[in-house]
Amino acid sequence: MALSIINSIVSWILKKRIHQIELFIKYPNEVQNELLLNLIQRAKFTEIGKKYNFSSILTYQQFADRVPVSVYEDIEPLIERTRKGENNIFWAEPIKYFAKSSGTTNAKSKFIPVSNDALENCHYKAGKDMLCLYLNNNEDSQLFTGKSLRLGGSKQLYEDNNTIFGDLSAILIDNLPFWAEMGSTPSNKVSLMNEWTEKMQAIVKETKNENVTSLLGVPSWLLVLLNKVLQDTSNTNLLELWPNAEVYFHGGISFEPYRDQYKKLFPKDNFRFYENYNASEGFFAIQDRNNADDMLLMLDYGIFYEFIPMDTFGTSNQKTVPLANVQINKSYAVVITTNAGLWRYLIGDTVRFTSVNPYRIKITGRTKHHINAFGEELMIENTDTALAKTAKEFNVAIVEYTAAPVFMKGLEKGAHEWMIEFKENPKDLKAFAKKLDENIQSLNSDYEAKRYNSMTLNELVLNVAKPNLFHLWLEKKDKLGGQNKIPRLSNDRFYLEQLINMNN
């Protein structure tokens, strides 16, 4: 009875935010323009503010004309100075935390600034909004009668020159109020364990006897944990262990290759899957409807958005447009200006708008992770969808995959070469490869044109990965953990050749 009352009170408090969300949905461009001018005003006396004369900027166009679009390498010297104790360089507020991120599997780490403002008014605010939107759509939810199973990164926090760095998830967990830990499992102590294998075992031990009502984590890594829980408890599905589980909040990578596996783990019609879009640089979008395949772009988190159409990206004709000028069903690279001092920063993700009233998006991939060696413009959205469809048709489960081009040599035509780790291999690998190729063609007309009569591209080449190949590859790179991702697509063969060599 007491838990039910707590559930009702917390749900009521969280849902009070709905009218503010409705406000930015109704006036999106006004909210974004006001936010931009506020960020400029707050930073006008910083080193960056003085360099670009923020004091005289009154419009978006003036801002866009003066401040260049940047990537991490452009701002790394400023970040290093801040990490060594200098203040007022790119943000007026001292930066204590830096989220250590290496993107996908890049060797060089990035240190993304996380201000107190970003912690409170972006990341934590988004966490509450994620619950708010879910509760608004599911009035009978009993979310707060149990605990949320969370799986974040595996690295502890480190201190250097009075600044602290580590996985974003570790920073967030370390700053959570005590009452938030009471509603979560595993404990902060276990969540911040450094050694991944030991951490997984500790999580299984702590969580299997809890009343888990929700789950949060990257699909690929959480799936490993959940399968370990099943093995340890000898249950056939997780509802036998956690009968009150009702929703899984996922993000980080596409859910499509894993959806059917999760449905088998939680086999009930009203179990919900809610996607969110967050990164070290900020929290950007949240699924706002049951059973939707897109997310609402959140416009009042202290992040100003711009977009580069992918058909001009990286060319001499590259242009950047504000939110008001985006079009539906067109792929864009995302540029952000944030309340942590990132100014017109290219985060490396690509999105497609499914709606502009309100602004809803789908993640299509990464600016660096696509294949366009032959003009085929193959995006991760295409391969994730095609692979999920093919796996369902052949009744198999996918663990991980990556793909890269086979370049033309002399009279030899090109192709795409795949490395796929199956849970259980298809009975007919040749038929699987053929069907996968056909499904990609049905989703991507440029690929279909290059494949027509094998004019430019031959049928894809399929390599079957040995069990745990991708896990061992990440382990070799010291990249095990909930925030590290496999590079799905690459325009060169750097990653694929490493995996092929390990697979032989």
Side-chain angles (χ1 to χ4, degrees):
M1 185 66 177
L3 288 175
S4 180
I5 293 171
I6 292 171
N7 184 76
S8 298
I9 293 171
V10 175
S11 298
W12 176 77
I13 292 170
L14 285 168
K15 285 193 287 186
K16 289 177 72 176
R17 161 79 171 141
I18 284 293
H19 78 276
Q20 293 174 316
I21 293 173
E22 290 171 344
L23 191 66
F24 76 64
I25 286 175
K26 190 174 181 180
Y27 302 105
N29 300 309
E30 292 86 348
V31 167
Q32 278 280 282
N33 286 332
E34 184 180 343
L35 188 154
L36 174 63
L37 294 177
N38 179 258
L39 292 174
I40 291 169
Q41 180 69 19
R42 290 175 65 184
K44 64 183 179 181
F45 297 123
T46 63
E47 189 171 310
I48 285 287
K50 291 175 182 176
K51 179 178 180 180
Y52 297 111
N53 195 12
F54 278 8
S55 294
S56 66
I57 292 179
L58 300 175
T59 66
Y60 162 70
Q61 197 55 55
Q62 289 175 335
F63 173 70
D65 289 343
R66 286 187 207 176
V67 183
V69 172
S70 63
V71 295
Y72 185 79
E73 288 71 23
D74 298 326
I75 62 174
E76 184 178 19
L78 300 181
I79 287 177
E80 285 306 301
R81 285 172 56 195
T82 306
R83 289 187 64 219
K84 289 176 181 176
E86 286 190 61
N87 292 321
N88 213 40
I89 296 175
F90 46 79
W91 193 239
E93 168 192 316
I95 305 290
K96 180 180 179 182
Y97 292 99
F98 292 84
K100 186 179 179 182
S101 167
S102 57
T104 309
T105 54
N106 298 337
K108 189 173 182 180
S109 293
K110 300 176 182 178
F111 294 90
I112 306 299
V114 182
S115 66
N116 288 330
D117 198 8
L119 271 178
E120 292 298 329
N121 295 315
C122 181
H123 293 289
Y124 289 145
K125 186 176 181 179
K128 288 181 279 191
D129 282 355
M130 184 175 67
L131 298 174
C132 166
L133 289 165
Y134 170 75
L135 294 167
N136 193 56
N137 293 327
N138 300 278
E139 295 286 345
D140 59 347
S141 170
Q142 296 297 306
L143 207 62
F144 301 106
T145 60
K147 292 190 175 184
S148 176
L149 193 166
R150 63 187 180 192
L151 180 63
S154 61
K155 300 295 183 184
Q156 64 192 56
L157 294 174
Y158 300 90
E159 189 165 352
D160 185 30
N161 293 310
N162 294 317
T163 61
I164 296 171
F165 67 90
D167 281 356
L168 175 66
S169 59
I171 293 170
L172 296 177
I173 289 169
D174 193 54
N175 285 278
L176 281 173
F178 76 94
W179 52 263
E181 183 180 4
M182 290 171 61
S184 303
T185 186
S187 63
N188 285 6
K189 181 181 177 181
V190 169
S191 293
L192 296 174
M193 285 176 65
N194 198 41
E195 209 289 311
W196 181 252
T197 304
E198 290 180 10
K199 175 178 174 175
M200 294 290 270
Q201 293 170 345
I203 293 176
V204 172
K205 185 177 179 181
E206 276 200 11
T207 58
K208 65 182 181 181
N209 295 318
E210 294 284 4
N211 176 27
V212 171
T213 54
S214 65
L215 303 96
L216 175 68
V218 176
S220 54
W221 290 108
L222 186 64
L223 191 60
V224 174
L225 171 65
L226 296 180
N227 282 324
K228 286 185 180 297
V229 172
L230 272 187
Q231 291 170 10
D232 192 77
T233 59
S234 300
N235 289 301
T236 56
N237 67 67
L238 289 172
L239 290 177
E240 294 176 359
L241 180 66
W242 300 318
N244 299 315
E246 58 179 82
V247 60
Y248 168 36
F249 299 102
H250 60 86
I253 60 174
S254 171
F255 189 50
E256 287 312 306
Y258 306 98
R259 186 180 296 275
D260 286 343
Q261 295 179 67
Y262 274 91
K263 284 184 175 180
K264 289 176 182 176
L265 290 173
F266 298 98
K268 65 179 179 182
D269 293 338
N270 62 345
F271 188 89
R272 304 294 187 194
F273 299 101
Y274 263 62
E275 185 175 7
N276 58 74
Y277 174 21
N278 68 317
S280 298
E281 295 86 354
F283 209 122
F284 309 126
I286 302 171
Q287 182 179 325
D288 65 319
R289 299 170 296 169
N290 286 340
N291 306 315
D293 63 353
D294 55 10
M295 295 171 284
L296 180 69
L297 191 64
M298 307 302 286
L299 303 179
D300 64 349
Y301 288 173
I303 298 173
F304 179 78
Y305 294 98
E306 296 174 86
F307 302 89
I308 302 174
M310 284 304 288
D311 55 9
T312 68
F313 182 81
T315 71
S316 58
N317 296 320
Q318 178 174 303
K319 60 180 181 179
T320 307
V321 299
L323 185 64
N325 293 353
V326 299
Q327 299 173 19
I328 292 174
N329 292 327
K330 192 170 183 176
S331 203
Y332 295 93
V334 182
V335 177
I336 59 172
T337 292
T338 78
N339 52 5
L342 295 175
W343 298 97
R344 305 197 82 203
Y345 181 78
L346 187 68
I347 62 174
D349 290 338
T350 60
V351 301
R352 174 170 57 83
F353 282 85
T354 59
S355 164
V356 293
N357 186 25
Y359 288 101
R360 291 196 179 101
I361 60 171
K362 291 184 73 170
I363 302 168
T364 54
R366 300 277 294 169
T367 54
K368 292 183 179 179
H369 295 159
H370 63 281
I371 303 179
N372 193 31
F374 312 98
E376 65 273 50
E377 291 285 357
L378 191 67
M379 306 295 288
I380 293 174
E381 182 186 31
N382 303 146
T383 55
D384 278 342
T385 304
L387 187 57
K389 183 180 179 183
T390 312
K392 193 168 187 177
E393 290 169 343
F394 280 76
N395 195 29
V396 295
I398 307 299
V399 178
E400 290 289 359
Y401 81 91
T402 194
V406 177
F407 294 105
M408 297 175 178
K409 290 182 181 178
L411 297 176
E412 293 180 25
K413 295 171 184 174
H416 288 179
E417 186 169 6
W418 288 60
M419 178 72 74
I420 302 178
E421 183 178 335
F422 297 94
K423 200 170 183 180
E424 292 181 3
N425 293 345
K427 293 178 181 177
D428 190 338
L429 286 168
K430 190 174 181 180
F432 184 93
K434 181 178 175 61
K435 190 63 180 177
L436 176 58
D437 193 275
E438 291 172 356
N439 284 334
I440 297 171
Q441 291 183 55
S442 72
L443 292 165
N444 185 307
S445 58
D446 291 321
Y447 181 76
E448 182 183 32
K450 304 300 182 292
R451 283 282 297 115
Y452 181 71
N453 288 334
S454 297
M455 195 173 296
T456 304
L457 293 177
N458 286 325
E459 186 176 315
L460 65 84
V461 179
L462 175 59
N463 297 291
V464 177
K466 294 187 293 191
N468 296 317
L469 175 68
F470 288 92
H471 181 96
L472 293 170
W473 182 61
L474 288 175
E475 186 176 41
K476 189 176 179 181
K477 292 172 170 285
D478 192 29
K479 296 290 183 182
L480 289 181
Q483 288 192 300
N484 293 304
K485 306 162 194 172
I486 299 296
R488 296 299 194 204
L489 303 178
S490 181
N491 228 19
D492 59 46
R493 295 180 59 83
F494 179 74
Y495 300 126
L496 184 64
E497 290 294 347
Q498 293 179 16
L499 287 159
I500 288 173
N501 289 336
M502 287 184 66
N503 203 44
N504 291 334

